[in-house]
Amino acid sequence: MRVLISNDDGIDAPGLALLERAALLLTDDVWVVAPDGNRSGYGHGITLRRSFEVTQRSPRRYACSGTPADCVIAGVSWLFRGDRQPDLVLSGINEGRNVAEDVAYSGTMAVAREAALCGIPAVAFSRPRDSGGDEEGERWLAGRLQGFWQAREQWARDGHWLNVNLPRRLPASLRAARRGSDKVATQVIIHSEREREHALIEPLALRNYLAGDGDENALIDAGYATVTCLNWHGHSQVPADILHEDGALEQIR
């Protein structure tokens, strides 16, 4: 099994090292292409109209000056060109949970989403910032990776990927979670102000951490590892009423 790992916290992040060690318990064909610095909140941005660099740090480990999605693109289109593509893409382990609207903002999600767009099974991992790690946790995580891989026919189809939020302590029981509501960037802090220029900061800590029955936050806080299956290509039917053109302007007025 060939595994490609990336993240948005950067190639030197401890969460990526933990995920890499767990993957190496299953296969020695593990590759890393990760940002050369923190790219949190970059979403699914890709680098257009300019180049980005990929630098080899050590055997099978590469640092990328681009975005998290660029890292997957570089792996699929450059690193493995003319060779066997990854069988599985892993993202994380992100420093901080990825729940609710984080799916839109997170570079961790972008890695898994880009892999899904390429038809490659992908799992994104996140964890609260004050979490620890040990060998027992690594073995537990390796077992979950093996389980996800063996069950891939059930979830890795039609643009689906898995979003896994780990609790502070491992091992932990897995639970299917309901997508909750947890608003990020609830306010901004004024960093500096001039006559016409205002520098604003969106602090990471300013979020609601709302928890509802059976949603991600509630289960993580209870010590469970949560799993949601996300789908890039999924859509709902457009209501017929909004397609009516006649009289639309009068109704708005």
Side-chain angles (χ1 to χ4, degrees):
M1 177 172 62
R2 171 166 288 179
V3 177
L4 174 63
I5 302 178
S6 191
N7 68 352
D8 69 356
D9 290 326
I11 192 168
D12 297 316
L16 186 146
L18 173 57
L19 188 56
E20 186 178 4
R21 291 195 300 269
L24 284 168
L25 293 176
L26 301 178
T27 175
D28 59 2
D29 197 2
V30 175
W31 300 73
V32 172
V33 181
D36 58 11
N38 194 292
R39 303 287 191 277
S40 295
Y42 271 53
H44 206 113
I46 60 175
T47 302
L48 299 173
R49 299 182 180 87
R50 62 183 178 87
S51 63
F52 62 88
E53 297 180 353
V54 180
T55 304
Q56 186 169 13
R57 288 279 192 90
S58 59
R60 299 186 179 182
R61 299 188 94 250
Y62 295 81
C64 175
S65 69
T67 68
D70 287 334
C71 293
V72 179
I73 294 170
V76 170
S77 300
W78 171 74
L79 183 60
F80 300 116
R81 65 191 186 283
D83 195 2
R84 186 174 125 235
Q85 289 293 312
D87 300 301
L88 179 66
V89 170
L90 303 176
S91 182
I93 299 170
N94 186 67
E95 186 181 2
R97 60 185 73 185
N98 269 309
V99 300
E101 68 182 54
D102 293 326
V103 173
Y105 299 134
S106 168
T108 306
M109 292 297 106
V111 169
R113 187 186 297 115
E114 184 63 36
L117 292 174
C118 295
I120 303 172
V123 186
F125 290 90
S126 304
R127 200 175 182 189
R129 289 184 175 81
D130 53 351
S131 303
D134 54 27
E135 291 185 5
E136 184 181 10
E138 290 176 24
R139 291 192 298 271
W140 177 90
L141 184 57
R144 303 295 74 73
L145 294 177
Q146 185 174 40
F148 294 145
W149 170 250
Q150 292 173 343
R152 65 192 181 281
E153 295 297 330
Q154 301 177 34
W155 58 265
R157 62 186 188 281
D158 301 328
H160 287 79
W161 73 93
L162 295 182
N163 179 26
V164 179
N165 277 278
L166 304 173
R168 290 174 175 82
R169 294 187 178 183
L170 299 176
S173 298
L174 286 176
R175 291 290 186 275
R178 177 176 60 82
R179 285 277 307 282
S181 175
D182 188 5
K183 183 71 181 73
V184 181
T186 56
Q187 67 183 80
V188 297
I189 294 176
I190 300 172
H191 181 62
S192 65
E193 287 191 295
R194 298 178 182 176
E195 184 176 356
R196 296 186 180 182
E197 297 178 355
H198 311 272
L200 309 177
I201 300 175
E202 299 175 6
L204 288 172
L206 292 181
R207 63 186 301 163
N208 292 329
Y209 288 105
L210 296 176
D213 186 28
D215 72 9
E216 297 157 312
N217 276 338
L219 291 172
I220 295 167
D221 291 341
Y224 294 106
T226 68
V227 184
T228 55
C229 189
L230 306 177
N231 182 12
W232 174 251
H233 297 301
H235 66 277
S236 300
Q237 185 174 353
V238 176
D241 288 348
I242 73 170
L243 301 179
H244 293 168
E245 298 181 5
D246 295 340
L249 186 57
E250 292 301 324
Q251 291 175 13
I252 293 173
R253 289 175 178 172

